Amino acid sequence: MDIKAYMEGLGQSARAASRVVAAATTEQKNKALLAMAEALASSRSELMAANQIDLERGKSNGLDAALLDRLELTDARIDTMIEGLRQVAALQDPVGEITDMAYRPSGIQIGKMRVPLGVIGIIYESRPNVTVEAASLCLKSGNATILRGGSEAIESNQAVAKCIRAGLAKAGLPDTAVQVVETTDRAAVGELITMPEFVDVIVPRGGKGLIERISRDAKVTVIKHLDGICHVYIDDQADITKAVNIAVNAKTHRYGTCNTMETLLIAKSRIDDVLPELISAYEEAGVELRGCDVCCSFSPEFKAATEEDWETEYLAPILAVKAVDSMAEAIAHINRYGSHHTDAIITENYTKSRQFLTEVDSSSVMVNASTRFADGFEYGLGAEIGISTDKIHARGPVGLDGLTSQKYIVLGDGHIRR
Amino acid sequence: MDIKAYMEGLGQSARAASRVVAAATTEQKNKALLAMAEALASSRSELMAANQIDLERGKSNGLDAALLDRLELTDARIDTMIEGLRQVAALQDPVGEITDMAYRPSGIQIGKMRVPLGVIGIIYESRPNVTVEAASLCLKSGNATILRGGSEAIESNQAVAKCIRAGLAKAGLPDTAVQVVETTDRAAVGELITMPEFVDVIVPRGGKGLIERISRDAKVTVIKHLDGICHVYIDDQADITKAVNIAVNAKTHRYGTCNTMETLLIAKSRIDDVLPELISAYEEAGVELRGCDVCCSFSPEFKAATEEDWETEYLAPILAVKAVDSMAEAIAHINRYGSHHTDAIITENYTKSRQFLTEVDSSSVMVNASTRFADGFEYGLGAEIGISTDKIHARGPVGLDGLTSQKYIVLGDGHIRR
């Protein structure tokens, strides 16, 4: 197979389809989304059968249990995919939104219209539900998509793709509006990220290694999410109840998510007030504690943290804890070791809250709230294609708006420039 | 000179300075801008002397008259630079603007805060006034800058840089907040665009060749402006007076600007109504006309246009004219041959105006107004660092907002995720 020619073919078809979906009405896009949901619902046995092939091959290839779990399509997971499609259909259509129309002294009236980006390439690993999530958000925002899932999930993804195409057809949209790459050849990724004439943005979803590799080699903008080394800082003027509740929630609510706290910073003067309660809560939850010198001398529950601990996204029941002299030290630590994802301060002090919000250079900065809130649903975006740790184009949870751009529109009545 | 080490040194200093200017108050930034204006005003003789060296070297190197003109610093041009600094000081500070704060069902309050991008690299050609324009917009938006002007202007740019540093010092800001590259070695550009650890965005200002080269090789986002192949389409339901006024203004108001019309499209049914008047107006202005078959048989004033004419940015008193059967044909022509910069329709028809606004894929789309309005000042942005023909991050005229990004802020009162 000539991978380059194959990918360019997908690119050309996607570019052509992007013009059609950009002009599609809200009704048409929603019809396609709901028809995809119906197709999934009536194809459960085909989906499960295809998934079974992937699972068996995965087992014989020695995939680990976590990967097999992510790969598996259960009835409940198919329900979630269906529900997701219905939710995206219910979201407001961002395309065509006109804002900021105002008259200028020249007499022209100027504002902005929200428009699709064009063609979006999505590269992801084993979870087949990403195929539906990504396709639905891209379609609703008027974009064409090329999806490249992990080779372990190839059969499942093709089965899902069939349902997506059925939905597009039912709404009279071209089936090239969502294309799932049919080859497992790794060269396909290399082509996808270096065709700026056909692909406008790449969204990689997966491990840090994958994303770094793609960012390095891509010839188009990458909306990237590297890692989530999130911090909670308990200030010397923190309310103790809020501090303990949030520090426990931010770590133990879920361990494998990017908005989970990985490092807890505590003002030295409050160590005695909060650590005993926190140590017992973390012990109960089974969280391993790694601490700075101050923490280690406070309690034998702490192992000594190394420099590496401050820059690690554990994604596991492990927490690094550091005592700091001041908020300034906490902010410096966060900006140096963090990943610019989500960081929170717990304080009752007005001036410090404003300063923390301003000086912490992260995509989400919080006061007296758990880092676990950093999420498209919680933020009211409806759904998210990912969380950007970049500053350009989109930052933080990326929903439908992040998959669009704004053009200027100018209304005149025969106006000429003097 | 070790160019790589030199540029990395500038990068490190810029990164450090970016944290300081990001946190600088509006008052401090304005003080620096006004002090720069004063320094320019009191350094006229030094600026002229430095410029004289550039001009003489340029003449002996055989630079053409247009380039020498762009290079020259006159009293009037220094006045314009001074006035520009005062205008940027008067603009509203975009940094820290908080918008869209709203409560979510969970009880958290969420919104966005506007923040600087970090370090911006500007690459430009001969005009020394760009040094001041770019530095002032980047500083006002809280960014550090590394400026790399053309080698022909090296002495002038260094003299301007001295005034900029004096202004920064007067406001207590680090003089590394604006750094002008001191070497004319071309390798410096290659380094500047491939240091993502130190530079967040590149803005190239210059010819299409320069911009294409930089876009191809850059390892960070490039806010790019390729070319301005702008169209006016005179619809079969156009008001004739508006059509003629706008078609003449869009072409003849200035020839060398990117928002000047390069191709005029006319509905076939209106050829008889508008062409005679337009031909005499263009003849009077000295505009050469190149037309399609229909135009050529209409009048001997037309030379036959070739395929190349439809994709050329003349930047000169030349106009390509094409008769079209329908608005659909006009839109297809614009989306195919245009540069997605600025395109206008002249029509009295409501439905067609909406359709044109929606379907033309350009950074500015206009109804009954001259393409010459596509400009940061005319749009009320105050000033512009350039006009982006890209879709990602910034589109159309890029002012202070385009040099910033938005982070999410979350305010809670002890909220945890359930």
Side-chain angles (χ1 to χ4, degrees):
Chain A
M1 186 177 197
D2 180 345
I3 297 290
K4 192 178 169 66
Y6 170 69
M7 292 305 292
E8 283 185 2
L10 293 190
Q12 259 160 7
S13 307
R15 180 61 80 206
S18 73
R19 300 206 181 92
V20 181
V21 288
T25 62
T26 308
E27 193 190 359
Q28 214 178 356
K29 292 185 285 189
N30 290 345
K31 190 174 174 186
L33 293 168
L34 296 174
M36 288 174 195
E38 274 169 39
L40 286 175
S42 62
S43 311
R44 282 179 195 268
S45 56
E46 289 90 332
L47 291 166
M48 303 280 217
N51 187 241
Q52 205 50 46
I53 301 174
D54 285 333
L55 286 171
E56 276 163 23
R57 192 190 46 242
K59 272 175 213 156
S60 66
N61 287 350
L63 290 192
D64 67 33
L67 212 64
L68 286 171
D69 174 58
R70 284 206 290 276
L71 180 54
E72 189 174 5
L73 274 183
T74 61
D75 251 321
R77 284 181 179 175
I78 295 174
D79 286 343
T80 307
M81 285 158 66
I82 292 169
E83 181 51 28
L85 283 163
R86 293 191 177 131
Q87 283 179 8
V88 174
L91 290 178
Q92 197 178 316
D93 190 340
V95 177
E97 180 199 36
I98 295 177
T99 51
D100 307 323
M101 289 301 296
Y103 284 98
R104 295 286 308 151
S106 62
I108 60 169
Q109 194 182 10
I110 166 159
K112 290 176 170 186
M113 182 190 279
R114 199 166 278 287
V115 291
L117 291 175
V119 178
I120 299 177
I122 318 262
I123 298 162
Y124 51 108
E125 292 175 333
S126 54
R127 294 186 303 137
N129 58 318
V130 173
T131 310
V132 169
E133 271 176 46
S136 62
L137 289 169
C138 291
L139 178 66
K140 184 76 185 229
S141 52
N143 296 288
T145 334
I146 301 177
L147 296 145
R148 208 290 183 175
S151 55
E152 327 78 47
I154 183 81
E155 299 293 335
S156 313
N157 284 336
Q158 295 305 328
V160 170
K162 214 172 144 187
C163 298
I164 291 174
R165 285 196 296 268
L168 290 167
K170 223 164 209 168
L173 290 172
D175 64 1
T176 45
V178 180
Q179 297 177 99
V180 179
V181 175
E182 291 185 6
T183 169
T184 57
D185 193 321
R186 275 167 179 270
V189 173
E191 295 299 327
L192 184 60
I193 65 176
T194 52
M195 316 191 289
E197 62 281 33
F198 301 129
V199 177
D200 298 291
V201 187
I202 292 287
V203 184
R205 292 180 54 157
K208 196 177 175 182
L210 171 81
I211 295 171
E212 280 179 340
R213 217 159 47 238
I214 286 169
S215 305
R216 199 186 51 227
D217 299 335
K219 289 283 167 206
V220 296
T221 298
V222 178
I223 295 182
K224 59 175 164 291
H225 164 193
L226 285 170
D227 43 15
I229 305 174
C230 301
H231 299 75
V232 171
Y233 164 60
I234 299 176
D235 184 50
D236 61 353
Q237 292 178 61
D239 173 281
I240 292 304
T241 309
K242 292 175 190 171
V244 171
N245 285 344
I246 290 171
V248 171
N249 182 261
K251 184 69 224 181
T252 66
H253 187 256
R254 273 182 72 185
Y255 294 113
T257 47
C258 58
N259 54 18
T260 296
M261 169 178 68
E262 303 291 13
T263 299
L264 175 63
L265 304 170
I266 309 176
K268 275 191 189 138
S269 60
R270 305 309 293 277
I271 289 279
D272 292 338
D273 298 332
V274 295
L275 260 191
E277 201 172 339
L278 283 176
I279 289 171
S280 71
Y282 289 135
E283 197 174 20
E284 198 175 313
V287 175
E288 176 189 328
L289 297 175
R290 302 187 186 173
C292 65
D293 294 350
V294 176
C295 293
C296 289
S297 25
F298 183 86
S299 158
E301 295 293 328
F302 285 96
K303 288 189 196 172
T306 64
E307 182 75 5
E308 207 192 327
D309 281 301
W310 311 127
E311 48 199 29
T312 299
E313 183 183 24
Y314 299 116
L315 298 170
I318 306 171
L319 178 68
V321 185
K322 185 180 165 72
V324 293
D325 281 318
S326 63
M327 183 175 78
E329 190 187 338
I331 292 175
H333 181 100
I334 291 169
N335 285 340
R336 172 168 175 197
Y337 293 102
S339 61
H340 309 291
H341 189 297
T342 300
D343 301 286
I345 185 174
I346 318 300
T347 190
E348 294 302 307
N349 183 291
Y350 164 81
T351 300
K352 282 179 162 177
S353 72
R354 285 186 76 209
Q355 215 177 328
F356 190 88
L357 286 171
T358 304
E359 293 182 12
V360 171
D361 182 24
S362 297
S363 71
S364 289
V365 190
M366 303 184 168
V367 180
N368 293 345
S370 169
T371 55
R372 283 283 297 139
F373 281 111
D375 167 301
F377 282 102
E378 292 294 338
Y379 281 10
L381 307 181
E384 68 185 31
I385 192 110
I387 295 183
S388 166
T389 54
D390 259 336
K391 289 186 179 181
I392 307 298
H393 186 68
R395 207 173 177 189
V398 180
L400 292 178
D401 275 5
L403 298 174
T404 63
S405 170
Q406 289 177 300
K407 67 183 180 191
Y408 283 100
I409 60 176
V410 174
L411 306 181
D413 191 38
H415 288 82
I416 58 171
R417 183 130 171 227
R418 305 285 170 190
Chain B
M1 186 179 199
D2 180 345
I3 298 290
K4 191 179 168 69
Y6 169 70
M7 292 304 293
E8 282 184 3
L10 294 190
Q12 259 160 7
S13 307
R15 180 61 78 207
S18 74
R19 300 206 179 92
V20 181
V21 289
T25 62
T26 308
E27 194 190 359
Q28 214 178 356
K29 292 185 286 189
N30 290 346
K31 191 174 174 187
L33 293 168
L34 297 175
M36 289 174 197
E38 276 168 39
L40 286 175
S42 63
S43 311
R44 282 177 195 268
S45 56
E46 290 90 333
L47 291 166
M48 304 280 214
N51 188 240
Q52 205 50 46
I53 302 174
D54 286 333
L55 287 171
E56 277 163 24
R57 191 189 47 240
K59 273 175 212 156
S60 67
N61 287 349
L63 290 191
D64 67 33
L67 212 65
L68 285 171
D69 174 59
R70 284 206 290 275
L71 181 54
E72 190 175 4
L73 275 182
T74 61
D75 250 322
R77 283 181 180 174
I78 294 174
D79 287 342
T80 307
M81 284 158 66
I82 292 170
E83 181 51 30
L85 283 163
R86 292 191 177 131
Q87 283 180 7
V88 174
L91 290 177
Q92 197 178 315
D93 190 339
V95 177
E97 180 200 36
I98 294 177
T99 51
D100 307 324
M101 289 301 298
Y103 284 97
R104 295 288 307 151
S106 62
I108 60 170
Q109 195 182 9
I110 167 161
K112 289 175 173 188
M113 182 190 281
R114 198 166 279 287
V115 292
L117 292 174
V119 177
I120 299 178
I122 318 263
I123 298 161
Y124 51 108
E125 294 176 334
S126 54
R127 295 185 303 137
N129 58 316
V130 174
T131 311
V132 169
E133 271 176 47
S136 62
L137 288 169
C138 291
L139 177 66
K140 183 76 184 230
S141 52
N143 297 288
T145 335
I146 301 176
L147 295 144
R148 209 290 184 173
S151 55
E152 327 80 45
I154 182 83
E155 299 293 334
S156 313
N157 284 336
Q158 295 305 328
V160 170
K162 214 173 142 185
C163 299
I164 292 174
R165 285 195 296 267
L168 289 166
K170 223 165 207 167
L173 291 171
D175 63 2
T176 44
V178 180
Q179 297 178 99
V180 178
V181 175
E182 291 185 6
T183 170
T184 58
D185 193 320
R186 276 167 179 270
V189 173
E191 294 300 327
L192 183 59
I193 65 177
T194 52
M195 316 192 289
E197 63 280 33
F198 301 128
V199 177
D200 298 290
V201 187
I202 293 286
V203 183
R205 291 179 56 157
K208 196 177 173 182
L210 172 81
I211 296 172
E212 281 180 340
R213 218 159 47 238
I214 286 170
S215 304
R216 199 185 52 227
D217 299 335
K219 289 283 168 206
V220 295
T221 298
V222 178
I223 296 181
K224 59 175 164 292
H225 164 192
L226 285 170
D227 42 14
I229 304 174
C230 302
H231 300 74
V232 171
Y233 164 59
I234 299 177
D235 184 51
D236 60 353
Q237 292 178 61
D239 174 278
I240 293 304
T241 310
K242 293 176 189 169
V244 171
N245 286 343
I246 290 171
V248 172
N249 183 261
K251 183 70 225 180
T252 66
H253 186 257
R254 272 182 73 185
Y255 295 113
T257 48
C258 58
N259 54 18
T260 296
M261 168 178 69
E262 304 291 12
T263 300
L264 174 64
L265 304 169
I266 308 176
K268 275 192 188 136
S269 60
R270 305 310 292 279
I271 290 277
D272 293 338
D273 298 333
V274 294
L275 260 191
E277 202 173 340
L278 283 175
I279 289 171
S280 71
Y282 289 134
E283 198 175 20
E284 197 176 313
V287 175
E288 178 190 326
L289 297 175
R290 302 186 186 174
C292 65
D293 294 349
V294 176
C295 293
C296 289
S297 27
F298 184 85
S299 158
E301 295 292 331
F302 286 96
K303 289 188 195 171
T306 64
E307 181 76 5
E308 207 192 328
D309 281 301
W310 311 126
E311 48 200 28
T312 299
E313 184 183 24
Y314 300 116
L315 298 171
I318 306 171
L319 177 69
V321 185
K322 186 181 164 75
V324 293
D325 282 318
S326 63
M327 182 175 78
E329 190 187 338
I331 293 175
H333 181 99
I334 291 169
N335 286 339
R336 172 167 175 197
Y337 293 102
S339 62
H340 309 292
H341 190 297
T342 300
D343 300 286
I345 184 173
I346 318 300
T347 191
E348 294 301 307
N349 184 292
Y350 163 82
T351 300
K352 281 178 164 179
S353 71
R354 286 185 75 207
Q355 214 176 328
F356 190 87
L357 285 171
T358 304
E359 294 182 11
V360 171
D361 182 24
S362 297
S363 71
S364 289
V365 190
M366 304 184 169
V367 181
N368 294 344
S370 169
T371 55
R372 283 282 298 137
F373 282 111
D375 167 301
F377 282 103
E378 292 293 338
Y379 282 9
L381 307 181
E384 67 184 32
I385 193 112
I387 295 183
S388 166
T389 54
D390 260 336
K391 288 187 180 180
I392 307 298
H393 187 68
R395 207 173 178 191
V398 180
L400 291 177
D401 275 5
L403 298 174
T404 63
S405 169
Q406 287 177 300
K407 68 183 180 190
Y408 283 99
I409 60 175
V410 174
L411 306 181
D413 191 37
H415 288 81
I416 58 171
R417 183 133 171 223
R418 305 282 169 191

